[in-house]
Amino acid sequence: MKNPFRKTLVPVLDLVLPRVCIVCGRRLLTFEKHICTCCLADLPLTFNWILPHNPMADRFNELIQESLCRTLQDGVTPSGHVAYSHAAALFFFNSEADYRKIPYSIKYRGDLASGLFFGAMLGKRMAEASALQDIDLIMPVPLYWSRKWKRGYNQAEVIARGIAEAVHGPVCTDILYRKHRTATQTRLDVNEKLRNVDNAFGLRKPLPPKTGHILLVDDVFTTGATLHACYRTLMATGKDIRISIATLAMVSN
């Protein structure tokens, strides 16, 4: 039920604590939420939720194939069919563009409301994609317990809950966990990132029996190393599952 006093309260609160655009810092109008109309119109959308084969999905599937090749070289035969993983990100992340402030604000400034808002924005677009309409579980990439305790939240979980508003899949945080604290991925190259998160995740309990399609969620897709580590952990169960990935942003530079 909508609050009947909202239309009156918002303008009054804006006088006391003005809301500003997360991107440009301009004061928001009453009807605007988190981002001004101008910045929203220029948001560099990826549109990759429309295309099953897109640069983000192709890169992630390359990691899967490279991992399978290494497994075969070690004399281990993978069990079951490996389905193509679909991928979606809301917008392109450029370290020199003001839109980088969106994931920064969510991750480092505790802007949880923006995380839900932009997560839902992505979820609405994903809900229209036929390949992403049968999701059984939504799993955010977990933080190590001490890092989550220090930050107070997991930004990937916040985004996942925003996505779930439109996708309507349950958000699951009690199965996949991070076994040890890993170094930040920010300044590592591709191979270093892969090694950094190798064997970093585990499962606290088995997947629900009827699980067929899992959506892994993170804040930003750079190389896909962390998401791939989670993917490998889930696929190691030997269950016939399909895994897709989603992030708020995808690095473009």
Side-chain angles (χ1 to χ4, degrees):
M1 181 178 178
K2 293 184 178 180
N3 189 333
F5 301 105
R6 179 175 174 78
K7 290 184 178 180
T8 303
L9 286 173
V10 171
V12 173
L13 291 174
D14 279 350
L15 291 174
V16 181
L17 295 171
R19 298 173 304 119
V20 297
C21 174
I22 193 172
V23 177
C24 70
R26 183 183 68 77
R27 186 167 179 169
L28 294 176
L29 300 176
T30 304
F31 65 88
E32 295 173 328
K33 294 182 179 180
H34 306 289
I35 185 170
C36 70
T37 304
C38 291
C39 289
L40 181 59
D42 290 335
L43 186 66
L45 299 174
T46 68
F47 292 101
N48 58 14
W49 52 85
I50 298 174
L51 302 172
H53 291 266
N54 57 66
M56 179 176 169
D58 288 345
R59 175 55 189 147
F60 189 69
N61 282 277
E62 284 176 10
L63 288 176
I64 294 171
Q65 292 303 315
E66 290 168 2
S67 178
L68 286 174
C69 288
R70 289 193 297 270
T71 300
L72 290 171
Q73 289 172 358
D74 292 338
V76 179
T77 303
S79 59
H81 170 69
V82 179
Y84 184 85
S85 290
H86 296 281
L90 182 63
F91 63 92
F92 287 111
F93 178 99
N94 187 309
S95 60
E96 298 178 357
D98 285 340
Y99 289 98
R100 72 186 187 282
K101 296 176 183 177
I102 295 175
Y104 284 168
S105 184
I106 297 168
K107 185 173 183 177
Y108 298 115
R109 297 179 182 175
D111 193 353
L112 308 190
S114 288
L116 290 170
F117 175 80
F118 288 105
M121 189 182 296
L122 172 59
K124 289 176 183 177
R125 287 160 173 79
M126 291 174 57
E128 298 174 359
S130 58
L132 300 170
Q133 290 183 350
D134 61 346
I135 294 169
D136 298 304
L137 291 177
I138 302 175
M139 287 190 180
V141 171
L143 290 177
Y144 188 58
W145 72 267
S146 61
R147 183 165 287 169
K148 183 177 180 181
W149 176 80
K150 183 177 181 180
R151 187 174 295 168
Y153 61 95
N154 177 1
Q155 71 278 2
E157 181 180 341
V158 176
I159 296 166
R161 295 196 180 282
I163 291 174
E165 291 181 12
V167 174
H168 302 303
V171 177
C172 176
T173 61
D174 61 347
I175 296 179
L176 186 66
Y177 76 102
R178 194 179 290 250
K179 294 190 291 185
H180 54 264
R181 183 165 182 163
T182 54
T184 179
Q185 299 274 76
T186 308
R187 298 181 180 180
L188 304 179
D189 63 28
V190 177
N191 291 326
E192 288 173 336
K193 287 179 179 180
L194 288 169
R195 289 194 295 270
N196 186 45
V197 293
D198 185 43
N199 198 35
F201 300 95
L203 299 179
R204 295 190 187 280
K205 60 182 183 180
L207 294 171
K210 295 184 179 181
T211 302
H213 189 182
I214 296 173
L215 179 70
L216 286 171
V217 178
D218 207 354
D219 54 350
V220 179
F221 183 93
T222 307
T223 64
T226 302
L227 285 162
H228 178 251
C230 293
Y231 171 95
R232 289 181 60 193
T233 300
L234 291 167
M235 293 301 291
T237 61
K239 289 186 173 293
D240 185 17
I241 55 175
R242 184 159 61 93
I243 298 175
S244 298
I245 61 171
T247 61
L248 204 57
M250 173 186 175
V251 171
S252 62
N253 68 329

